[in-house]
Amino acid sequence: MTPREIVSELDRYIIGQKDAKRMVAIAMRNRWRRSRVAPDLRDEIAPKNIIMMGPTGVGKTEIARRLANLAGAPFFKVEATKFTEVGYVGRDVESMVRDLMEIGINLVKKEETARVRTKAEYNTEEQLLNLLLPGKGNASFSAPQNGPAEAVNKDETREKLRTMLRQGKLDDRSVEVEVSVQGGPQIEMMAMPGMEDMGMQMRDMLGQFFPKKQKTRSMKVKDAYDIIIQQECERLIDMDKVVDIAKERVEQSGILFIDEIDKICGQDRKGGADVSREGVQRDLLPVVEGCVVNTKYGMIKTDHILFIAAGAFHMSKPADLVPELQGRFPLRVELRDLTKEDFLRILTEPRNALTVQYTALLETEGVEVSFGEDALEELAGYAERINQETENIGARRLYTLMEKVLADLSFDAPDQSGQKILIDAAYVRSKLEEVVEDRDLSRYIL
C-alpha cells in the first residue's frame, strides 16, 4: 500500500491526527522499500523508530494497532512501567520480544490452518463416518467379503450418512473418539517475580519428557467434529515451517508498541525511583538498538523490528530520556487534543462508531434506536467540556457518556421489544445535565 492508501485506511477508524498517520504510513512504506533494496545494503537500513506524544484517548495505540493489521505483521503492545532493571521486582525487558514471537507463531499458524482447512474437513468427515458405520476404522470397507453387491451397498450407506452428517442430522449421536492427554504428573512451577517467562519455558521443556497419551472418550458427533478437525489441522501443519516463517516475519516486519514510556523518564532527582527508571531505559537500549534474544523458538534478532513508543509527557519530555535511547527514536510526532468537532466525527464516521455499536446491541432486544444530529452534537459538547474541566481522557470519555445516557434504556430494553426510540438533545440533557452541573459528581461519575 502507498502512504496515501495507508492514511486513507486509517481514516476509516481514527479521526484526525493527520501528522501521526502520515509518519507511520511512511515508516510502513519504508519497510516495503527496504525489502526491494539490494541484499548487501538491506541489512544496513535500520527502521526509523517513532515516539508519539499526546494525552490518553487521542488514538496513539489505535494507530499502531491498525497499522499492524494493515501490514499483516506481528504486533505487541506493552507498558514500559511493567519493566524494571535487574534487582527490582518486574518483568525482564527481553520478554516483550518473546511475546512478539508467540504472536508471530499464532499469526502464521492461523494462516496455515486456513490453508489446510479443506483437507482437514474432508479427513474429519471420513473419520466420523468410520466411527458411525459398523466395524472399526476402514477395515470393514477395505476388503468386502461377500462380493461386489455388498461393497456397493456399503458405499451407498456411507454416502447417505455423509449427507446426513453434512445436514447436521447426526449431531446428537454418540461416538467414541481418541483424544490426547498429557502424560505424567501435571507440572506447576513457582517463578520468581520478573522470571515468569523462564518459568514457562522450564515447564514446557519438562513437559516434553512425558509424551502425550491417547484416551477414548464418548461424546456427541458435533463435539467430536471440533476435536477431530483440530487434531487434523495440527497434523497437517508443518510446525518447523511455521516457526521459520514466523521468525522471518517478526525479525523483518514485527512492531513493538511501548506505551507509557514517559513514566520511565527521570525527573532530575538523584536516587529513589529515578534509579529504577533510568535502569529500565538502559535495559531497553540494547533491545531497541539491535540485539539477539533467546526464545524457545530460537534466537531472534531485533535489529529490524519497528519500535513505536508513546506517552502523554505531561510531567516530562522526550529529552528526559537517556541520550542513547533518544537517538534510537529519531521520529517524533505530537497528537493534538480532541475538539467538539472531532468528537462529533468519532460518533458518526468510523465503521465501528459507538452509535453503530449501541444500535446493534439494542437491536438484539428488538429495540430500534436512532440518534438525532442534535443529540450527537450535545454529546460531543459534553465530552469536550468534561475533558477540559476534569482529566483529559480523550475519546474514552464518550464511552462513559454513552453508558450514562443509555443506562436506563439498556436495562429496560427486554421489556420494550418492538419499540422505536429516538435519542435527541433533550433526552441527552435529561440524563447528563444534573451530573455535569455538579462538579463533584461529574468528577466521580463521568
Side-chain angles (χ1 to χ4, degrees):
M1 298 176 71
T2 66
R4 198 179 304 278
E5 290 171 339
I6 295 168
V7 170
S8 177
E9 190 67 23
L10 292 175
D11 283 340
R12 298 170 66 185
Y13 299 96
I14 303 152
I15 298 302
Q17 314 304 353
K18 179 181 177 182
D19 292 341
K21 290 175 182 174
R22 286 171 61 92
M23 185 170 286
V24 298
I26 292 169
M28 183 172 167
R29 184 66 175 184
N30 280 340
R31 297 197 140 194
W32 177 86
R33 292 165 179 159
R34 176 181 168 271
S35 68
R36 281 153 178 77
V37 171
D40 57 337
L41 183 60
R42 186 181 306 160
D43 290 340
E44 302 299 324
I45 301 176
K48 306 301 185 291
N49 299 323
I50 302 168
I51 288 183
M52 293 195 288
M53 299 168 284
T56 182
V58 296
K60 300 188 297 293
T61 306
E62 193 64 16
I63 286 173
R65 184 180 291 117
R66 295 290 176 184
L67 185 74
N69 289 341
L70 289 177
F75 172 84
F76 182 66
K77 174 182 178 287
V78 65
E79 285 77 30
T81 49
K82 287 185 177 180
F83 302 126
T84 64
E85 64 176 328
V86 176
Y88 291 78
V89 175
R91 295 191 67 191
D92 170 23
V93 169
E94 292 183 350
S95 65
M96 63 181 175
V97 180
R98 299 187 190 101
D99 291 332
L100 183 67
M101 184 60 188
E102 288 289 348
I103 289 170
I105 291 288
N106 292 334
L107 189 65
V108 177
K109 191 174 180 180
K110 185 177 179 181
E111 293 173 359
E112 288 295 300
T113 299
R115 187 179 62 81
V116 303
R117 180 81 182 184
T118 302
K119 188 172 182 180
E121 287 175 349
Y122 174 79
N123 291 349
T124 300
E125 199 175 74
E126 291 297 312
Q127 285 194 45
L128 285 173
L129 290 173
N130 291 341
L131 293 170
L132 289 165
L133 285 163
K136 289 188 177 181
N138 291 320
S140 20
F141 311 106
S142 56
Q145 301 298 318
N146 298 323
E150 185 174 342
V152 171
N153 187 43
K154 286 184 177 180
D155 287 341
E156 289 178 353
T157 304
R158 189 178 183 88
E159 291 308 311
K160 287 180 182 178
L161 278 177
R162 189 189 304 276
T163 302
M164 294 173 67
L165 180 64
R166 290 176 177 175
Q167 293 174 347
K169 295 179 179 179
L170 303 177
D171 284 354
D172 294 328
R173 188 173 295 189
S174 295
V175 292
E176 291 189 345
V177 179
E178 285 190 348
V179 296
S180 299
V181 294
Q182 182 65 49
Q186 293 295 316
I187 302 169
E188 293 293 336
M189 297 185 65
M190 292 293 291
M192 293 177 62
M195 301 181 69
E196 293 88 352
D197 296 291
M198 185 179 295
M200 288 193 299
Q201 290 190 37
M202 286 292 293
R203 188 165 58 247
D204 291 341
M205 184 180 68
L206 292 174
Q208 294 175 1
F209 288 103
F210 301 99
K212 290 185 177 181
K213 297 179 179 179
Q214 297 296 319
K215 184 177 181 180
T216 302
R217 290 182 180 172
S218 179
M219 62 185 71
K220 293 183 178 179
V221 167
K222 60 182 179 181
D223 299 323
Y225 183 90
D226 294 334
I227 290 176
I228 295 174
I229 198 167
Q230 183 178 352
Q231 291 175 345
E232 281 299 308
C233 286
E234 290 179 356
R235 185 180 66 82
L236 292 170
I237 291 173
D238 182 353
M239 278 308 296
D240 290 336
K241 178 184 175 183
V242 168
V243 170
D244 289 342
I245 295 174
K247 183 179 177 182
E248 174 76 12
R249 198 173 293 184
V250 166
E251 290 183 339
Q252 302 302 323
S253 62
I255 299 175
L256 274 170
F257 184 84
I258 306 174
D259 203 3
E260 297 182 355
I261 198 167
D262 56 315
K263 302 299 190 299
I264 60 170
C265 288
Q267 303 294 326
D268 297 326
R269 296 190 302 268
K270 298 298 181 183
D274 280 2
V275 176
S276 179
R277 291 192 187 111
E278 186 169 324
V280 177
Q281 294 182 52
R282 298 204 176 277
D283 285 347
L284 274 171
L285 186 58
V287 179
V288 178
E289 280 186 332
C291 67
V292 178
V293 176
N294 186 25
T295 74
K296 65 181 180 181
Y297 301 105
M299 309 300 282
I300 302 297
K301 293 181 179 180
T302 67
D303 301 65
H304 300 288
I305 292 175
L306 176 64
F307 290 86
I308 301 177
F313 289 98
H314 291 313
M315 307 295 294
S316 58
K317 52 190 180 298
D320 292 327
L321 295 167
V322 296
E324 298 92 335
L325 193 59
Q326 289 182 48
R328 297 306 298 177
F329 288 89
L331 303 182
R332 298 173 190 179
V333 62
E334 186 168 357
L335 285 78
R336 59 179 177 81
D337 292 345
L338 299 175
T339 64
K340 178 181 176 180
E341 289 70 26
D342 292 327
F343 286 122
L344 184 58
R345 293 180 61 197
I346 289 169
L347 287 169
T348 55
E349 292 184 16
R351 296 178 62 184
N352 58 340
L354 281 179
T355 50
V356 175
Q357 295 179 30
Y358 279 98
T359 300
L361 286 172
L362 291 170
E363 193 176 340
T364 62
E365 301 278 9
V367 179
E368 186 178 327
V369 176
S370 58
F371 293 85
E373 185 68 27
D374 57 342
L376 299 179
E377 289 188 6
E378 200 74 21
L379 278 166
Y382 276 128
E384 182 183 43
R385 176 181 167 185
I386 296 168
N387 273 349
Q388 290 174 351
E389 294 178 352
T390 60
E391 289 293 327
N392 184 2
I393 60 172
R396 293 189 178 94
R397 184 71 66 187
L398 290 172
Y399 284 91
T400 310
L401 292 175
M402 289 287 281
E403 282 293 336
K404 183 66 178 173
V405 168
L406 298 177
D408 293 338
L409 179 57
S410 295
F411 185 85
D412 298 328
D415 304 320
Q416 297 180 340
S417 180
Q419 293 190 23
K420 295 183 179 181
I421 298 173
L422 172 65
I423 307 296
D424 56 14
Y427 186 96
V428 172
R429 282 194 294 270
S430 69
K431 299 296 181 182
L432 293 179
E433 199 161 29
E434 182 180 346
V435 180
V436 172
E437 292 302 324
D438 189 322
R439 191 68 62 87
D440 292 332
L441 275 179
S442 65
R443 186 177 299 275
Y444 288 104
I445 296 177
L446 300 178

